[in-house]
Amino acid sequence: MSRLSSQIFASILVNAIYEMRNYPAVLLITVLSPLSFLTLIFFISGGTLLAVGIVGGLIMSMFSAGTSLQADLSHLKNDFKLQDMVVGSPTKASVYVAGMAISELIYASPALAILSILFALFVHVELVAVLGIVTVMLMMFLMSISLGFALATFSSDIVQSFAFTRLLSLLFTTLAPVYYPITYIPLPWRYFAYLSPTTYAAQIGHVLVGFYEIPRNQLMIDWAILIILTALFLWIGMKKARWREK
Amino acid sequence: MTRTGEITCEGITKVYAGGKTALSTVNFSIPAHGIFAVIGRNGAGKTTLARILSTLLEPSSGRASIDGLDVMLDAKVLRERMAVVPQEGRTVAWMTPVQTVTTYLMWRGVGYKESVRKAEEAMAQVGLEGQANRLNRTLSGGMKRKVLVAMVLASDAEFIFLDEPSTGLDPISRQELWRLLIELGKDRFVLLTTHYLEEAERVADRIGILNEGRLIASGNMEELRGHLKHQYSLKVPEGANLLVKEGEKITLGNGQVQVLTTRDEALELSKDLIQAKTQFSVNPVTLDDIFTYMVGAMDAEVTEFKEVEEE
């Protein structure tokens, strides 16, 4: 095992494998959150929003991985002072976060697996559309882990940190049109939805599964905004997060 | 880079956002081996100093180096050679002691199998073989501290920073920790911050006294004793009839008066106190006396007596 993989694996062991092994109940919440929303949407829409809900669930799972990262990093940093021990070791910030981010993906994997099976069974699209949705999911993940890391390094209290996690989750995955189409929001309220980066991701996803159509140039604008926001959040994560304190 | 074998601070100052000055122009140079204990009252700047030296915190000004490596410019190289247990550092609740040490070593770049082997060895060194696979949250406070010490013990770090590792431990656990610290200090540099003066006196090779962000004294016990004119301490209840010819009388504020004096004067005073059937204690000055004199005396009333020789 190389030095780098050893350092990454350490984060995965601490934040996923050992935690799941000793506290299996934490797994349930990551599985139930996206599925409970999907169930609700399915029954309310009489099944018509199933494809939209599945894509929404996939986007939510990826975004939630980042917000969970923020909560977990804050918990490890403030309650156990683990981050100080790692800062004073040869592990670099980027390596520590990479390991922690992978651990969040491992947590999200049961929900992602169930949603992927539902996607294969009930959503019939071409491979290009699948690749598009996977790209959107990856961008959501990168964006949210960058934001999560930056916020975690600034937080000094776990209660404050959990409040942020819930707030981000509420604004970006519950209120924002992720599980339902943006067309359901009447004007002028719809414009507020565009303040959330998840709106662009979900709109691309909903178009790719063929739930509704938007002009080609609007789709290109959605992609461009998503790429710019991902790059911006990555920059914030890399440049603005505190490793050594000032 | 030239290896200096020293830990050096040159004018280290730290002013936190909000204007609080935690350290003010701290200067010292000590050998980079053995145990250096930093003592001081709450808010004296102990943790700030430890965090700056262990590359966790940027100083506002000044320069600090370890074995010739600048803590700001050469942090990456230094982190290969140091290990840190911060103040209030705790073991992760859902892990076992072996898992805690294993993952710490992996963060230091050691492979998984080697980390497990070293972690198990460290468990034996700190006397936790029987508890190695219990969840940390089920361990006592003393055991949890031992797990953190096992982490740095298992590492190959040359410079170890332990910020108040014994806070909250019972006397027996503290003594067990001291044994481990002394073991660590045999072939590495350990910077230890502590509130317990007895701990510093028992384990440290050198002691630094911080007061309100300033390093007011530093050295081994002999050198610290040199800050006091008199080497014997006598403590009596306030109001006791005591005729001090030579020495310093300090009102401690706890109903006691301390007299720092010479050996002969202490003997004479003791005779008087025995005759007067007054309760008292007498002993060569300890770190406690030095600390009280240098830090506590700032709040206390000090009266100096000097015998005038007859011509």
Side-chain angles (χ1 to χ4, degrees), chain A residues 38-83:
Chain A
L38 181 62
T39 310
L40 203 67
I41 292 291
F42 177 77
F43 286 123
I44 288 172
S45 70
T48 55
L49 289 181
L50 181 62
V52 168
I54 292 170
V55 171
L58 288 167
I59 289 171
M60 183 200 183
S61 292
M62 295 307 267
F63 194 83
S64 296
T67 53
S68 301
L69 177 79
Q70 189 241 332
D72 289 346
L73 286 180
S74 296
H75 185 37
L76 292 169
K77 173 183 169 237
N78 297 317
D79 294 346
F80 301 112
K81 307 289 172 194
L82 188 79
Q83 190 170 302

